[in-house]
Structure formats: structure tokens, C-alpha cells
Amino acid sequence: MIRNVVLAKLTTGYDAAEVAAIQEGLRNLDCPGTVRYTVGTDAGLRDGNWDFVIVADFEDVAAYRGYDEDAAHNELRARLAPFVDQIARAQFDIP
């Protein structure tokens, strides 16, 4: 299984309603091979945390690549891009 983790620091004054709509769109993606998909906003429990997070598990590398190339996913990614100051990503194998 492949776990994908994405963290984003959003720009000051980002459009919260648009980001919420993007998150809802991400939650509704239906990419084959997705095992679990979680997206949310930082709960604000510590200073310095990143604002936006995705944690997603995929059956295998092919399923992850399908998600990464999915047209609906990339449309949502493009909508989010203007609000992103920094982004960090990692994919790793879950035995």
C-alpha cells in the first residue's frame, strides 16, 4: 500500500470558502484503488503547523499514479494553487 501525505501552508487572506469547496471536491474524488482518503484543515493546536492536509492510502503505485494523473484531481489542484505559499509531499510504502 502507498500512503500519500500532502501539507500546504496557505497564503495570508486565502479564500476560506473556496478552500472548503476544494476540500469537498477532493473528498468526493472516486479514483480506482483508493483505500482511504482524508483531507482537512489544521485544528490549530500548535503554533507553526501547516494549514491544509491530505493523507491518502492507495492499493499500489499504479493506483497512486492514477490519482496523481486524474483530471478532476488536477482541476482541484489547480484551483488550490493560487492559495498555496508552500507545499510538502511524500509518498511511502505501508507494508
Side-chain angles (χ1 to χ4, degrees):
M1 183 164 30
I2 297 296
R3 176 161 289 163
N4 177 52
V5 178
V6 179
L7 295 168
K9 286 193 181 207
L10 301 178
T11 57
T12 302
Y14 67 88
D15 183 337
E18 176 65 1
V19 169
I22 292 165
Q23 287 176 328
E24 189 60 26
L26 290 166
R27 285 184 194 100
N28 290 318
L29 288 175
D30 186 23
C31 296
T34 302
V35 175
R36 182 173 170 89
Y37 195 91
T38 307
V39 60
T41 301
D42 180 62
L45 303 178
R46 292 190 60 178
D47 289 339
N49 284 0
W50 291 53
D51 304 300
F52 182 101
V53 63
I54 297 170
V55 178
D57 294 337
F58 299 94
E59 291 176 351
D60 52 27
V61 171
Y64 166 75
R65 293 205 187 283
Y67 159 78
D68 193 45
E69 296 170 0
D70 180 78
H73 171 233
N74 283 307
E75 179 183 313
L76 292 162
R77 184 186 280 172
R79 283 174 53 192
L80 182 64
F83 307 118
V84 173
D85 183 45
Q86 295 179 55
I87 197 153
R89 298 179 192 89
Q91 298 80 42
F92 58 98
D93 188 46
I94 304 286

